[in-house]
Coordinates of all heavy atoms in Angstrom, one line a residue:
M1 N -7.0 80.8 212.6 CA -6.7 80.1 213.8 C -8.1 79.5 214.3 O -9.1 80.3 214.3 CB -6.0 81.0 214.9 CG -5.6 80.3 216.1 SD -4.6 81.3 217.2 CE -5.8 82.2 218.0
R2 N -8.1 78.3 214.8 CA -9.2 77.7 215.4 C -9.0 77.3 216.8 O -7.8 76.9 217.1 CB -9.6 76.3 214.6 CG -9.8 76.5 213.1 CD -11.1 77.1 212.7 NE -12.0 76.0 212.8 CZ -13.4 76.3 212.7 NH1 -13.7 77.5 212.2 NH2 -14.4 75.4 212.9
I3 N -10.0 77.6 217.6 CA -9.8 77.3 219.1 C -10.9 76.4 219.5 O -12.1 76.5 219.1 CB -10.1 78.6 219.9 CG1 -8.9 79.5 219.6 CG2 -10.0 78.4 221.3 CD1 -9.1 81.0 220.1
S4 N -10.6 75.3 220.1 CA -11.5 74.2 220.6 C -12.0 74.7 222.0 O -11.2 74.4 223.0 CB -10.8 72.8 220.7 OG -10.6 72.5 219.4
C5 N -13.1 75.3 222.1 CA -13.8 75.6 223.3 C -14.2 74.4 224.0 O -14.9 73.5 223.4 CB -15.0 76.5 223.1 SG -15.9 76.9 224.6
P6 N -13.9 74.0 225.3 CA -14.3 72.8 226.0 C -15.7 72.7 226.0 O -16.3 71.7 226.3 CB -13.6 72.9 227.4 CG -13.1 74.3 227.4 CD -13.0 75.0 226.1
F7 N -16.6 73.8 225.9 CA -18.0 73.7 226.0 C -18.8 73.8 224.7 O -19.8 73.1 224.5 CB -18.4 74.9 226.8 CG -17.7 75.0 228.2 CD1 -16.8 75.8 228.5 CD2 -18.0 73.9 229.2 CE1 -16.1 75.9 229.7 CE2 -17.4 74.0 230.4 CZ -16.5 74.9 230.7
C8 N -18.1 74.5 223.7 CA -18.8 74.7 222.3 C -18.2 73.9 221.3 O -18.7 73.9 220.2 CB -18.8 76.2 222.1 SG -19.5 77.3 223.4
G9 N -17.0 73.4 221.5 CA -16.3 72.7 220.3 C -15.5 73.6 219.6 O -15.2 74.8 220.0
E10 N -14.9 73.1 218.4 CA -13.9 74.0 217.6 C -14.7 75.1 217.0 O -15.7 74.9 216.3 CB -13.3 73.1 216.6 CG -12.1 73.7 215.9 CD -11.4 72.8 214.9 OE1 -10.7 72.0 215.4 OE2 -11.5 73.0 213.7
R11 N -14.2 76.3 217.1 CA -14.8 77.6 216.5 C -13.6 78.4 215.9 O -12.4 78.3 216.4 CB -15.4 78.3 217.6 CG -16.5 77.6 218.2 CD -17.9 77.4 217.3 NE -19.0 77.3 218.0 CZ -19.4 76.1 218.2 NH1 -18.7 74.9 217.9 NH2 -20.7 75.8 218.8
D12 N -14.0 79.3 215.1 CA -13.0 80.3 214.5 C -12.6 81.3 215.6 O -13.5 81.6 216.5 CB -13.6 81.0 213.3 CG -12.6 81.8 212.6 OD1 -11.9 81.2 211.8 OD2 -12.5 83.1 212.8
H13 N -11.3 81.7 215.5 CA -11.0 82.7 216.5 C -11.7 84.0 216.5 O -11.6 84.8 217.5 CB -9.4 82.9 216.4 CG -9.1 83.8 215.3 ND1 -9.1 83.5 213.9 CD2 -8.7 85.2 215.3 CE1 -8.8 84.6 213.2 NE2 -8.6 85.7 214.0
S14 N -12.4 84.3 215.5 CA -13.1 85.5 215.4 C -14.3 85.5 216.5 O -14.8 86.6 216.8 CB -13.7 85.8 214.1 OG -14.6 84.8 213.6
E15 N -14.6 84.4 217.0 CA -15.6 84.2 218.0 C -15.0 84.7 219.4 O -15.8 84.7 220.4 CB -16.2 82.9 218.2 CG -17.2 82.6 217.0 CD -17.9 81.3 217.3 OE1 -17.9 80.7 218.4 OE2 -18.4 80.7 216.3
F16 N -13.7 84.8 219.5 CA -13.1 85.0 220.8 C -12.5 86.3 220.9 O -12.1 86.9 219.9 CB -12.0 83.9 220.9 CG -12.4 82.5 221.0 CD1 -12.9 81.9 219.9 CD2 -12.7 81.8 222.1 CE1 -13.3 80.6 219.8 CE2 -13.2 80.6 222.3 CZ -13.4 79.9 221.0
T17 N -12.3 86.9 222.1 CA -11.5 88.1 222.4 C -10.3 87.8 223.2 O -10.5 87.1 224.2 CB -12.6 89.0 223.1 OG1 -13.8 89.2 222.3 CG2 -11.8 90.4 223.2
Y18 N -9.1 88.3 222.7 CA -7.9 88.1 223.5 C -8.0 88.9 224.7 O -8.5 90.0 224.7 CB -6.7 88.6 222.5 CG -5.5 88.5 223.2 CD1 -4.9 87.2 223.5 CD2 -4.8 89.6 223.6 CE1 -3.7 87.1 224.0 CE2 -3.5 89.5 224.2 CZ -3.0 88.3 224.4 OH -1.8 88.1 225.2
G19 N -7.7 88.3 225.9 CA -7.6 88.9 227.2 C -6.3 89.1 227.7 O -6.3 89.5 228.9
G20 N -5.3 88.8 227.1 CA -3.9 89.0 227.6 C -3.3 87.9 228.1 O -3.6 86.7 228.1
D21 N -2.0 88.2 228.7 CA -1.1 87.1 229.1 C -1.6 86.4 230.5 O -1.9 87.2 231.4 CB 0.3 87.8 229.3 CG 1.4 86.8 229.8 OD1 1.0 85.7 230.2 OD2 2.5 87.2 229.8
A22 N -1.8 85.2 230.5 CA -2.3 84.6 231.6 C -1.4 84.3 232.6 O -1.7 84.1 233.9 CB -3.1 83.2 231.2
S23 N -0.2 84.6 232.6 CA 0.9 84.4 233.5 C 1.1 85.7 234.3 O 1.9 85.6 235.4 CB 2.2 83.9 232.9 OG 2.8 85.0 232.0
V24 N 0.5 86.7 233.9 CA 0.7 88.0 234.8 C 0.0 87.8 236.1 O -1.2 87.4 236.3 CB 0.1 89.2 234.0 CG1 0.2 90.5 234.9 CG2 0.9 89.4 232.8
T25 N 0.9 88.2 237.1 CA 0.2 88.2 238.4 C 0.0 89.7 238.8 O 1.0 90.6 238.7 CB 1.1 87.6 239.6 OG1 2.3 88.2 239.5 CG2 1.2 86.1 239.3
F26 N -1.1 90.1 239.3 CA -1.4 91.6 239.6 C -1.0 91.8 241.1 O -1.2 90.9 242.0 CB -2.8 91.9 239.3 CG -3.1 91.8 237.9 CD1 -3.7 90.8 237.2 CD2 -2.8 92.9 237.1 CE1 -3.9 90.7 235.8 CE2 -2.9 92.9 235.7 CZ -3.5 91.8 235.1
P27 N -0.6 93.0 241.4 CA -0.3 93.4 242.8 C -1.5 93.4 243.7 O -2.6 93.5 243.2 CB 0.5 94.7 242.7 CG 0.0 95.2 241.5 CD -0.3 94.1 240.5
E28 N -1.2 93.6 245.0 CA -2.3 93.9 245.9 C -3.1 95.2 245.5 O -2.5 96.1 245.0 CB -1.8 93.9 247.4 CG -1.2 92.6 247.8 CD -2.3 91.5 248.0 OE1 -3.4 91.8 248.4 OE2 -1.9 90.4 247.6
L29 N -4.3 95.4 245.9 CA -5.1 96.5 245.6 C -4.5 97.9 246.0 O -4.5 98.9 245.4 CB -6.5 96.4 246.1 CG -7.4 95.3 245.4 CD1 -8.8 95.3 246.1 CD2 -7.5 95.7 243.8
D30 N -3.7 97.8 247.2 CA -3.1 99.0 247.8 C -1.6 99.2 247.3 O -0.9 100.0 247.9 CB -3.3 99.0 249.3 CG -2.6 97.8 249.9 OD1 -2.1 96.9 249.2 OD2 -2.5 97.8 251.1
A31 N -1.3 98.5 246.3 CA 0.1 98.6 245.8 C 0.3 100.0 245.1 O -0.7 100.6 244.8 CB 0.4 97.6 244.8
S32 N 1.5 100.3 244.9 CA 1.8 101.6 244.3 C 1.3 101.7 242.9 O 1.1 100.7 242.2 CB 3.4 102.0 244.4 OG 4.1 101.0 243.5
L33 N 1.3 103.0 242.4 CA 0.8 103.2 241.0 C 1.9 102.6 240.1 O 1.6 102.1 239.0 CB 0.6 104.7 240.7 CG -0.6 105.3 241.2 CD1 -0.6 106.8 241.1 CD2 -1.8 104.6 240.6
E34 N 3.1 102.7 240.4 CA 4.2 102.1 239.6 C 4.2 100.6 239.4 O 4.3 100.1 238.4 CB 5.6 102.5 240.2 CG 6.8 102.0 239.3 CD 8.1 102.5 239.9 OE1 8.1 103.3 240.7 OE2 9.1 101.9 239.4
E35 N 3.8 100.0 240.6 CA 3.7 98.5 240.5 C 2.4 98.1 239.6 O 2.4 97.2 238.9 CB 3.3 98.0 242.0 CG 4.6 97.9 242.9 CD 4.3 97.3 244.2 OE1 4.3 96.1 244.3 OE2 4.0 98.3 245.0
W36 N 1.3 98.8 239.7 CA 0.2 98.7 238.8 C 0.4 98.9 237.4 O 0.0 98.2 236.6 CB -1.0 99.5 239.3 CG -1.8 98.7 240.5 CD1 -1.8 98.9 241.7 CD2 -2.7 97.6 240.2 NE1 -2.6 97.9 242.4 CE2 -3.1 97.1 241.4 CE3 -3.1 96.8 239.0 CZ2 -3.9 96.0 241.5 CZ3 -3.9 95.7 239.2 CH2 -4.4 95.3 240.4
N37 N 1.2 100.1 237.2 CA 1.5 100.4 235.8 C 2.4 99.3 235.2 O 2.0 98.9 234.1 CB 2.3 101.7 235.8 CG 2.7 102.0 234.4 OD1 1.8 102.6 233.6 ND2 4.0 102.0 234.0
D38 N 3.3 98.8 235.9 CA 4.2 97.8 235.4 C 3.3 96.4 235.1 O 3.4 95.8 234.0 CB 5.3 97.3 236.3 CG 6.4 98.5 236.5 OD1 6.2 99.5 235.7 OD2 7.2 98.4 237.3
A39 N 2.4 96.1 236.0 CA 1.6 94.9 235.8 C 0.6 95.0 234.7 O 0.4 94.1 234.0 CB 0.8 94.6 237.2
V40 N 0.2 96.1 234.5 CA -0.9 96.4 233.4 C -0.2 96.7 231.9 O -0.6 96.1 231.0 CB -1.8 97.6 233.7 CG1 -2.8 97.8 232.6 CG2 -2.6 97.2 235.1
Y41 N 0.9 97.5 232.0 CA 1.4 97.9 230.7 C 2.8 97.3 230.2 O 2.9 97.3 229.1 CB 1.5 99.3 230.7 CG 0.1 100.1 230.8 CD1 -0.1 100.7 232.0 CD2 -0.8 100.0 229.8 CE1 -1.4 101.4 232.1 CE2 -2.0 100.6 229.9 CZ -2.3 101.3 231.1 OH -3.5 101.9 231.2
I42 N 3.5 96.8 231.2 CA 4.8 96.3 230.8 C 4.8 94.8 230.4 O 4.5 94.0 231.3 CB 5.8 96.6 231.9 CG1 5.8 98.1 232.3 CG2 7.3 96.1 231.5 CD1 6.2 99.0 231.2
R43 N 5.1 94.5 229.2 CA 5.0 93.1 228.8 C 6.5 92.7 228.1 O 7.0 93.5 227.4 CB 4.0 92.9 227.7 CG 2.5 93.1 228.3 CD 2.3 92.1 229.3 NE 0.9 92.1 229.8 CZ 0.7 92.7 231.0 NH1 1.6 93.2 231.8 NH2 -0.6 92.8 231.4
S44 N 6.8 91.4 228.2 CA 8.0 91.1 227.6 C 7.9 90.6 226.2 O 8.9 90.7 225.5 CB 8.8 89.9 228.5 OG 7.9 88.9 228.5
N45 N 6.7 90.2 225.8 CA 6.4 89.8 224.5 C 7.4 88.8 223.9 O 8.0 88.9 222.9 CB 6.4 91.0 223.5 CG 5.6 90.8 222.2 OD1 4.9 89.8 222.1 ND2 6.1 91.5 221.1
P46 N 7.6 87.6 224.6 CA 8.5 86.6 224.2 C 7.9 85.8 223.0 O 6.6 85.7 222.8 CB 8.6 85.7 225.5 CG 7.4 85.8 226.2 CD 6.9 87.3 225.9
K47 N 8.8 85.1 222.3 CA 8.4 84.2 221.2 C 8.2 82.8 221.8 O 8.9 82.5 222.9 CB 9.4 84.0 220.1 CG 9.5 85.3 219.3 CD 10.5 85.1 218.1 CE 11.9 85.2 218.5 NZ 12.9 85.1 217.3
G48 N 7.3 82.0 221.3 CA 7.2 80.6 221.7 C 5.8 80.3 222.4 O 4.8 81.1 222.1
V49 N 5.8 79.4 223.2 CA 4.5 79.0 223.8 C 4.2 79.9 225.0 O 5.1 80.0 225.9 CB 4.6 77.4 224.3 CG1 3.4 76.9 225.2 CG2 4.9 76.5 223.1
L50 N 3.1 80.4 225.0 CA 2.6 81.3 226.1 C 1.2 80.9 226.5 O 0.4 80.2 225.9 CB 2.5 82.6 225.6 CG 3.6 83.4 225.0 CD1 3.3 84.9 224.5 CD2 4.7 83.6 226.2
R51 N 0.9 81.2 227.8 CA -0.5 80.9 228.3 C -1.2 82.2 228.1 O -0.7 83.3 228.7 CB -0.4 80.4 229.8 CG 0.1 79.1 230.0 CD 0.2 78.6 231.4 NE -1.1 78.7 232.1 CZ -2.0 77.8 232.2 NH1 -1.9 76.8 231.3 NH2 -3.0 78.0 232.9
E52 N -2.4 82.2 227.5 CA -3.1 83.4 227.2 C -4.6 83.3 227.6 O -5.1 82.2 227.5 CB -3.1 83.7 225.7 CG -1.7 83.8 225.1 CD -1.7 83.9 223.6 OE1 -2.6 83.3 223.0 OE2 -0.9 84.7 223.1
K53 N -5.2 84.4 228.0 CA -6.6 84.4 228.4 C -7.4 84.7 227.1 O -7.0 85.6 226.4 CB -6.9 85.5 229.5 CG -6.2 85.1 230.8 CD -6.5 86.1 231.8 CE -5.5 87.3 231.7 NZ -5.7 88.3 232.6
W54 N -8.3 84.0 226.9 CA -9.3 84.3 225.8 C -10.8 84.2 226.2 O -11.1 83.3 227.0 CB -9.1 83.3 224.5 CG -7.8 83.5 223.8 CD1 -6.5 83.2 224.2 CD2 -7.7 84.2 222.5 NE1 -5.6 83.5 223.2 CE2 -6.3 84.2 222.2 CE3 -8.6 84.8 221.7 CZ2 -5.8 84.7 221.0 CZ3 -8.1 85.4 220.4 CH2 -6.7 85.3 220.3
H55 N -11.7 85.2 225.8 CA -13.0 85.1 226.2 C -13.9 84.6 225.0 O -13.7 85.2 224.0 CB -13.5 86.6 226.6 CG -14.9 86.6 227.1 ND1 -15.8 87.5 226.5 CD2 -15.5 85.9 228.0 CE1 -16.9 87.3 227.2 NE2 -16.7 86.5 228.1
H56 N -14.7 83.7 225.2 CA -15.5 83.1 224.2 C -16.7 84.1 224.0 O -17.9 83.7 224.3 CB -15.8 81.7 224.2 CG -16.4 81.1 223.0 ND1 -16.8 79.9 223.0 CD2 -16.5 81.6 221.8 CE1 -17.2 79.5 221.7 NE2 -17.1 80.6 221.0
S57 N -16.4 85.3 223.5 CA -17.4 86.3 223.5 C -18.6 86.0 222.5 O -19.7 86.5 222.7 CB -16.8 87.7 223.2 OG -16.0 87.6 222.1
G58 N -18.2 85.3 221.5 CA -19.3 84.9 220.5 C -20.0 83.5 220.8 O -20.6 83.0 219.9
G59 N -19.8 82.9 222.0 CA -20.2 81.7 222.2 C -20.8 81.6 223.6 O -21.7 82.4 224.1
C60 N -20.1 80.7 224.4 CA -20.6 80.4 225.7 C -20.2 81.6 226.7 O -20.7 81.6 228.0 CB -20.1 79.1 226.3 SG -18.3 79.2 226.4
R61 N -19.4 82.5 226.3 CA -19.0 83.6 227.1 C -18.2 83.2 228.4 O -18.1 84.0 229.4 CB -20.2 84.6 227.6 CG -21.0 85.0 226.5 CD -22.0 86.0 226.7 NE -21.5 87.2 227.2 CZ -20.9 88.2 226.6 NH1 -20.7 88.0 225.3 NH2 -20.5 89.3 227.3
I62 N -17.5 82.1 228.3 CA -16.6 81.6 229.3 C -15.1 82.2 229.1 O -14.7 82.1 227.9 CB -16.5 80.1 229.4 CG1 -18.0 79.6 229.8 CG2 -15.6 79.5 230.4 CD1 -18.5 79.8 231.2
W63 N -14.5 82.6 230.1 CA -13.0 82.8 230.0 C -12.2 81.5 229.9 O -12.4 80.7 230.7 CB -12.6 83.8 231.2 CG -12.8 85.1 230.9 CD1 -14.0 85.7 231.4 CD2 -12.3 86.0 230.1 NE1 -13.9 87.2 231.0 CE2 -12.9 87.3 230.2 CE3 -10.9 86.1 229.4 CZ2 -12.4 88.4 229.5 CZ3 -10.6 87.2 228.7 CH2 -11.2 88.4 228.8
L64 N -11.3 81.5 228.9 CA -10.5 80.3 228.8 C -8.9 80.6 228.9 O -8.6 81.9 228.7 CB -10.7 79.7 227.3 CG -12.1 79.4 227.0 CD1 -12.3 79.0 225.5 CD2 -12.6 78.1 227.8
V65 N -8.2 79.7 229.3 CA -6.8 79.9 229.2 C -6.1 78.8 228.2 O -6.5 77.7 228.2 CB -6.0 79.7 230.6 CG1 -4.6 79.5 230.6 CG2 -6.6 80.6 231.5
L66 N -5.4 79.5 227.2 CA -4.9 78.7 226.1 C -3.3 78.6 226.2 O -2.6 79.6 226.6 CB -5.2 79.2 224.7 CG -6.5 79.1 224.1 CD1 -7.6 79.7 224.9 CD2 -6.5 79.7 222.8
E67 N -2.8 77.6 225.8 CA -1.4 77.5 225.7 C -1.1 77.5 224.2 O -1.6 76.6 223.4 CB -0.7 76.2 226.2 CG -0.2 76.2 227.6 CD 0.5 75.0 228.1 OE1 0.9 74.3 227.2 OE2 0.7 74.9 229.2
R68 N -0.5 78.7 223.7 CA -0.5 79.0 222.2 C 1.0 79.3 221.9 O 1.6 80.1 222.6 CB -1.4 80.1 221.8 CG -1.4 80.3 220.3 CD -2.4 81.4 220.0 NE -2.0 82.7 220.5 CZ -1.4 83.7 219.7 NH1 -1.0 83.3 218.6 NH2 -1.0 84.7 220.2
D69 N 1.5 78.7 220.8 CA 2.8 79.1 220.3 C 2.6 80.4 219.4 O 1.9 80.3 218.3 CB 3.3 77.9 219.4 CG 4.8 78.2 219.0 OD1 5.2 79.3 218.7 OD2 5.6 77.2 219.2
T70 N 3.2 81.5 219.8 CA 2.9 82.7 219.1 C 3.6 82.8 217.7 O 3.4 83.6 217.0 CB 3.6 83.9 219.9 OG1 5.0 83.6 220.3 CG2 2.8 84.0 221.2
L71 N 4.5 81.7 217.4 CA 5.2 81.7 216.1 C 4.4 81.0 215.2 O 4.2 81.3 214.0 CB 6.5 81.1 216.1 CG 7.7 81.9 217.0 CD1 8.9 81.1 217.1 CD2 7.9 83.2 216.3
T72 N 3.8 79.9 215.6 CA 3.0 79.0 214.6 C 1.5 79.0 214.9 O 0.8 78.5 214.0 CB 3.5 77.5 215.0 OG1 2.9 77.1 216.3 CG2 4.9 77.2 214.8
H73 N 1.1 79.7 215.9 CA -0.3 79.8 216.4 C -1.0 78.4 216.8 O -2.2 78.2 216.9 CB -1.1 80.4 215.3 CG -0.8 81.8 215.0 ND1 -0.9 82.9 215.9 CD2 -0.1 82.5 213.8 CE1 -0.5 84.0 215.4 NE2 0.0 83.7 214.0
S74 N -0.1 77.4 216.9 CA -0.7 76.1 217.3 C -1.1 76.2 218.7 O -0.3 76.7 219.5 CB 0.3 74.9 217.1 OG 1.5 75.1 217.9
I75 N -2.2 75.5 219.0 CA -2.7 75.5 220.4 C -2.5 74.2 221.0 O -3.1 73.1 220.5 CB -4.2 75.9 220.4 CG1 -4.2 77.4 219.9 CG2 -4.8 75.8 221.8 CD1 -5.7 78.0 219.6
S76 N -1.8 74.0 222.1 CA -1.5 72.8 222.8 C -2.6 72.4 223.9 O -2.7 71.2 224.3 CB -0.2 72.6 223.2 OG 0.2 73.8 224.1
Q77 N -3.2 73.4 224.5 CA -4.0 73.3 225.6 C -5.1 74.3 225.7 O -4.7 75.4 225.4 CB -3.3 73.1 226.9 CG -4.0 72.7 228.2 CD -3.2 72.7 229.4 OE1 -1.9 72.8 229.4 NE2 -3.8 72.5 230.5
V78 N -6.3 73.9 226.1 CA -7.5 75.0 226.3 C -8.2 74.4 227.5 O -8.6 73.2 227.7 CB -8.4 74.9 225.2 CG1 -9.5 76.0 225.5 CG2 -7.7 75.3 223.8
E79 N -8.3 75.3 228.6 CA -9.0 75.0 229.7 C -9.8 76.2 230.2 O -9.4 77.4 229.9 CB -8.2 74.4 230.8 CG -7.1 75.4 231.3 CD -6.1 74.8 232.2 OE1 -6.0 73.6 232.2 OE2 -5.5 75.5 233.1
P80 N -10.8 76.0 230.9 CA -11.5 77.2 231.5 C -10.6 77.9 232.5 O -9.8 77.3 233.2 CB -12.7 76.5 232.3 CG -12.8 75.2 231.8 CD -11.6 74.7 231.3
A81 N -10.7 79.3 232.4 CA -9.9 80.0 233.4 C -10.1 79.8 234.8 O -9.3 79.7 235.7 CB -10.1 81.6 233.2
R82 N -11.4 79.3 235.1 CA -11.8 78.9 236.4 C -12.2 77.5 236.4 O -13.2 77.0 235.8 CB -13.0 79.6 237.0 CG -12.6 81.1 237.2 CD -14.0 81.7 237.8 NE -13.6 83.0 238.5 CZ -13.8 83.2 239.9 NH1 -14.4 82.3 240.6 NH2 -13.5 84.3 240.4
L83 N -11.3 76.6 236.9 CA -11.3 75.2 236.8 C -12.8 74.7 237.3 O -13.2 73.6 237.0 CB -10.2 74.4 237.3 CG -8.9 74.7 236.4 CD1 -7.6 73.9 237.0 CD2 -9.1 74.3 235.0
T84 N -13.2 75.5 238.3 CA -14.5 75.0 239.0 C -15.6 74.9 238.0 O -16.6 74.2 238.2 CB -14.8 75.9 240.2 OG1 -14.8 77.2 239.7 CG2 -13.8 75.6 241.3
I85 N -15.6 75.7 236.9 CA -16.7 75.7 235.9 C -16.7 74.3 235.2 O -17.8 73.8 235.0 CB -16.5 76.8 234.9 CG1 -16.7 78.1 235.6 CG2 -17.4 76.6 233.6 CD1 -16.5 79.3 234.8
S86 N -15.5 73.7 234.9 CA -15.6 72.3 234.4 C -16.3 71.5 235.4 O -17.0 70.5 234.8 CB -14.1 71.8 234.2 OG -13.5 72.6 233.3
E87 N -16.1 71.6 236.6 CA -16.7 70.6 237.6 C -18.2 70.9 237.6 O -18.9 69.9 237.7 CB -16.0 70.7 239.0 CG -14.6 70.4 238.9 CD -13.9 70.8 240.2 OE1 -14.5 71.4 241.1 OE2 -12.6 70.7 240.2
L88 N -18.7 72.1 237.4 CA -20.1 72.4 237.5 C -20.9 71.7 236.3 O -22.0 71.3 236.6 CB -20.3 73.9 237.5 CG -19.8 74.6 238.6 CD1 -20.0 76.2 238.5 CD2 -20.6 74.1 240.0
V89 N -20.3 71.7 235.2 CA -21.0 71.1 234.0 C -20.8 69.6 233.8 O -21.5 69.1 232.9 CB -20.6 71.8 232.6 CG1 -20.9 73.4 232.8 CG2 -19.1 71.6 232.5
K90 N -20.2 68.9 234.7 CA -20.1 67.5 234.6 C -21.4 66.8 234.9 O -22.1 67.3 235.8 CB -19.0 66.9 235.5 CG -17.6 67.3 234.9 CD -16.5 66.7 235.8 CE -15.1 66.9 235.2 NZ -14.1 66.5 236.0
Ligands
ZN101 ZN1 -17.6 78.3 224.2

């Protein structure tokens, strides 16, 4: 699988570290342990296009959000996890 980092260009996925489902929303810091357990460990693992966090650990070290089809591994979108970073490098 190849990932096109918006800052470094196309690279092999081995330069990246998977960071989990980007659609997960975490509870408030004072939420119950059960809410935190569910947010951290309970996943639905659906097939198809998902938004995922990936860290370019072997490159620019920026966190990215990818839209990736888990069946075909095709990537339809890559953007910085913090969109303000794109504005900083313009
Ligand atoms: Zn990069």
Side-chain angles (χ1 to χ4, degrees):
M1 185 172 80
R2 306 279 292 176
I3 297 174
S4 292
C5 175
F7 305 103
C8 306
E10 187 176 292
R11 299 287 197 270
D12 190 79
H13 79 282
S14 62
E15 289 189 12
F16 297 81
T17 304
Y18 178 72
D21 184 344
S23 67
V24 172
T25 56
F26 292 98
E28 296 294 323
L29 291 177
D30 60 351
S32 70
L33 285 177
E34 185 176 344
E35 287 177 88
W36 272 103
N37 183 71
D38 290 352
V40 173
Y41 296 110
I42 306 300
R43 297 288 182 262
S44 59
N45 197 23
K47 290 189 278 188
V49 177
L50 298 178
R51 288 177 58 80
E52 302 173 326
K53 294 178 280 186
W54 287 79
H55 183 235
H56 197 180
S57 50
C60 63
R61 304 191 60 79
I62 298 289
W63 279 96
L64 305 171
V65 174
L66 278 61
E67 271 189 16
R68 183 176 71 91
D69 189 315
T70 58
L71 291 175
T72 64
H73 298 294
S74 66
I75 297 169
S76 55
Q77 185 178 357
V78 180
E79 62 186 18
R82 288 181 164 243
L83 294 177
T84 53
I85 289 175
S86 293
E87 296 165 9
L88 290 174
V89 296
K90 283 183 183 175

